[in-house]
Amino acid sequence: MPRDHYEVLGVKKSASDDEIKKAYRKLARQYHPDRNPGDKQASERFKEAQEAYDVLSDKQKREQYDQFGFAGPGPMPGGPGGATFHWGGDSGGPSLDPSQFEEILKHFGGGFAGGAFGGDNRRGRGSRRRQQPAPPPEAAEVTIPLETAVKGGPISLNVDGRHIDLKVPPGVADGQTMRLAGQGLDGEDLYIKLRLGGHPYFKREGDNLILEVPLTIAEAALGATVDVPTLEGTRLGVKVPPGTSSGARLRLRGKGLKGGDQFIEVKIVVPAAKDERSRQLLDELAKLHPQQPRAQLPWS
């Protein structure tokens, strides 16, 4: 006789769904085959915990288990000690039509499968449920700098008053989970979910990085080469084509996160015309290159 499911998980019969899930996760981490290679006893305990959780985490299975235990709901009608039902006619026993018999099967967790009682004689589909996957492990969230996400490096954590050094590999993604074997309470595995923090001058758009770069009117109109930083710590010379407008983006392929791109977003800085000569030059420029920048806008 297998052990009681509640005893396996170490919980009371009145335990809530959360208490059952928490107890299962603790046992699953403790006896997981990856942590106990070659240990048959640990493998059996892991399997035993999975079977217990499969029953107790399912409302219908748990109700049947609480009522009948491992024996199940008992003999079906027509079995030893039960009445014999017939489809009708002169058999002498109680008469039952197929729809009534189907209702009895449903009551006891079965079904009117494959027309087995309707003369089809085909094998009914199995009613065994697919085993539920193990719930994902709980993870503590830690925010790391963008530079660390790209280049990797160590970060220091304080978990339940304990100092832990975590080595972040290069190229991690936002939301990625890392497992620290045996670093949790009672020797359990510790799971850390990484979140990417902000940056003084880079903005994130998914795996892309945006860098706002101011340009003078002359640089935007005539073109220029601008020296810009990358998150890797290098600097690149970016060519700005003549006639570039404010808000335009220039792409640096592969300089973002996880294969994303870095975009140079142009911001044109306009000087104030403080003297008459400056106003004359700007007025002359406007006459030489007349523009209607708002002509195609829906509200113009």
Side-chain angles (χ1 to χ4, degrees):
M1 174 68 69
R3 284 204 300 156
D4 177 69
H5 290 326
Y6 293 100
E7 178 185 346
V8 169
L9 297 183
V11 297
K12 297 180 180 180
K13 194 171 182 179
S14 60
S16 65
D17 292 342
D18 287 341
E19 289 173 330
I20 289 173
K21 183 184 293 185
K22 185 176 180 181
Y24 166 71
R25 283 176 169 172
K26 181 178 179 180
L27 292 173
R29 287 193 294 264
Q30 182 178 354
Y31 294 110
H32 197 282
D34 289 347
R35 297 190 61 190
N36 303 273
D39 190 335
K40 293 184 178 180
Q41 184 176 1
S43 179
E44 288 298 320
R45 292 293 300 275
F46 180 75
K47 181 179 178 182
E48 190 179 42
Q50 279 191 316
E51 292 175 351
Y53 181 75
D54 179 51
V55 172
L56 300 185
S57 64
D58 184 287
K59 183 178 180 180
Q60 184 177 356
K61 290 182 181 180
R62 184 176 179 180
E63 288 178 355
Q64 284 198 354
Y65 178 76
D66 288 344
Q67 186 174 359
F68 302 107
F70 289 105
M76 292 292 295
T84 302
F85 295 100
H86 303 274
W87 297 123
D90 302 324
S91 301
S95 179
L96 207 67
D97 63 36
S99 62
Q100 291 174 304
F101 195 80
E102 182 180 4
E103 288 299 316
I104 292 176
L105 289 176
K106 289 180 179 178
H107 177 75
F108 285 97
F112 199 54
F117 297 98
D120 193 348
N121 291 326
R122 291 179 299 175
R123 186 176 180 179
R125 296 180 181 177
S127 60
R128 183 180 179 181
R129 295 188 178 186
R130 182 181 298 176
Q131 187 175 2
Q132 292 185 350
E138 295 179 354
E141 290 195 0
V142 173
T143 301
I144 63 174
L146 281 176
E147 293 93 336
T148 304
V150 172
K151 297 185 291 186
I155 60 172
S156 296
L157 306 177
N158 191 303
V159 180
D160 297 323
R162 296 177 296 116
H163 178 81
I164 296 177
D165 289 323
L166 173 64
K167 186 175 181 181
V168 179
V172 295
D174 185 56
Q176 182 172 332
T177 299
M178 296 184 63
R179 179 173 69 94
L180 304 180
Q183 295 294 309
L185 294 176
D186 302 323
E188 299 176 1
D189 292 346
L190 179 63
Y191 292 87
I192 303 295
K193 179 177 286 188
L194 302 177
R195 292 297 184 190
L196 306 189
H199 194 274
Y201 42 85
F202 283 109
K203 294 185 297 183
R204 284 184 56 225
E205 290 183 359
D207 289 335
N208 295 328
L209 296 175
I210 314 300
L211 178 68
E212 190 177 85
V213 177
L215 295 180
T216 67
I217 291 180
E219 288 175 325
L222 302 177
T225 299
V226 184
D227 192 34
V228 299
T230 67
L231 197 58
E232 297 172 340
T234 59
R235 300 186 74 86
L236 297 175
V238 177
K239 290 185 177 181
V240 179
T244 299
S245 298
S246 190
R249 287 186 173 185
L250 308 175
R251 177 183 299 186
L252 299 179
R253 295 187 181 277
K255 295 300 181 180
L257 303 170
K258 297 287 288 182
D261 301 324
Q262 176 177 326
F263 288 91
I264 307 304
E265 188 169 273
V266 172
K267 180 181 180 182
I268 298 177
V269 180
V270 180
K274 296 182 179 180
D275 52 58
E276 184 61 27
R277 178 58 179 159
S278 297
R279 284 191 289 270
Q280 290 175 354
L281 290 173
L282 289 174
D283 187 54
E284 185 178 348
L285 178 64
K287 291 177 179 179
L288 287 173
H289 300 281
Q291 293 176 296
Q292 293 181 322
R294 296 173 295 280
Q296 303 301 322
L297 294 177
W299 49 263
S300 61

